[in-house]
Amino acid sequence: MPQIPEKIHELTVGQLAARSGAAVSALHFYESKGLISSRRTPGNQRRYTRDTLRRVAFIRAAQRVGIPLATIRGALAELPEERTPTRDDWAHLSEAWRSELDERIKQLNRLRDHLTDCIGCGCLSLDTCVLSNPDDVSGDRLTGSRLMTEPGGTRRGGRPEVEG
């Protein structure tokens, strides 16, 4: 990992990428989502303060355990003066995220345990498909795989529902 001299207080996007292990495109994405920030030089180049390294490490650690970026952004926004997260911050936030992760693990285990129910079918049109309808919310009314509609009769993505 490249070392950055202590006298350098700001990092280029390339230096930040090399030190954090995040791709330049990921850093630009994090910035567009308000997770990190930079200042612009007169030549319009991004410069990041050194503490952005810790912020990126925090973001990547949270992502690795499955925390959505919106949740991460919310957590970072709650820190006093939008400061870099500390070890205590991570401990507090990880405790708050534990129940969410436990629920996801439960759902994944349930899907894994029922995966063989769909292997023979191939088209996911069993009467109660645990993959396309994991909580079987329509099983008492319909059979087979269905494109679920949003309230108001539109498909997910905004297209009108088409009867088939």
Side-chain angles (χ1 to χ4, degrees), residues 38-107:
S38 67
R39 74 167 184 88
R40 297 295 182 128
T41 67
N44 203 31
Q45 296 174 333
R46 290 176 168 95
R47 292 294 185 266
Y48 299 91
T49 57
R50 290 178 69 94
D51 65 322
T52 307
L53 279 169
R54 179 168 291 180
R55 205 169 174 92
V56 171
F58 177 90
I59 294 163
R60 290 173 49 94
Q63 282 186 296
R64 273 193 292 280
V65 297
I67 304 299
L69 285 178
T71 304
I72 297 168
R73 181 178 49 248
L76 290 171
E78 289 180 19
L79 295 176
E81 299 175 21
E82 297 186 2
R83 65 172 163 70
T84 299
T86 64
R87 184 181 305 263
D88 289 340
D89 294 327
W90 179 258
H92 174 72
L93 291 169
S94 64
E95 184 61 33
W97 292 336
R98 182 174 298 279
S99 63
E100 181 181 334
L101 292 174
D102 287 342
E103 182 58 33
R104 280 199 217 150
I105 290 168
K106 224 173 15 177
Q107 289 173 350

Side-chain angles (χ1 to χ4, degrees), residues 15-157:
Q15 290 170 322
L16 182 59
R19 292 278 300 165
S20 69
V24 169
S25 59
L27 296 172
H28 290 169
F29 180 75
Y30 293 160
E31 190 169 356
S32 74
K33 297 299 180 186
L35 297 164
I36 61 175
S37 61
S38 67
R39 74 167 184 88
R40 297 295 182 128
T41 67
N44 203 31
Q45 296 174 333
R46 290 176 168 95
R47 292 294 185 266
Y48 299 91
T49 57
R50 290 178 69 94
D51 65 322
T52 307
L53 279 169
R54 179 168 291 180
R55 205 169 174 92
V56 171
F58 177 90
I59 294 163
R60 290 173 49 94
Q63 282 186 296
R64 273 193 292 280
V65 297
I67 304 299
L69 285 178
T71 304
I72 297 168
R73 181 178 49 248
L76 290 171
E78 289 180 19
L79 295 176
E81 299 175 21
E82 297 186 2
R83 65 172 163 70
T84 299
T86 64
R87 184 181 305 263
D88 289 340
D89 294 327
W90 179 258
H92 174 72
L93 291 169
S94 64
E95 184 61 33
W97 292 336
R98 182 174 298 279
S99 63
E100 181 181 334
L101 292 174
D102 287 342
E103 182 58 33
R104 280 199 217 150
I105 290 168
K106 224 173 15 177
Q107 289 173 350
L108 286 171
N109 283 331
R110 187 174 63 229
L111 289 173
R112 180 204 58 212
D113 293 344
H114 295 287
L115 183 62
T116 55
D117 295 344
C118 291
I119 293 198
C121 171
C123 68
L124 302 177
S125 63
L126 297 172
D127 288 347
T128 57
C129 180
V130 296
L131 292 181
S132 46
N133 190 10
D135 295 319
D136 197 20
V137 294
S138 299
D140 57 344
R141 295 180 288 128
L142 305 167
T143 60
S145 179
R146 298 276 192 259
L147 179 61
M148 303 304 288
T149 60
E150 296 290 329
T154 59
R155 289 182 183 178
R156 289 188 181 132

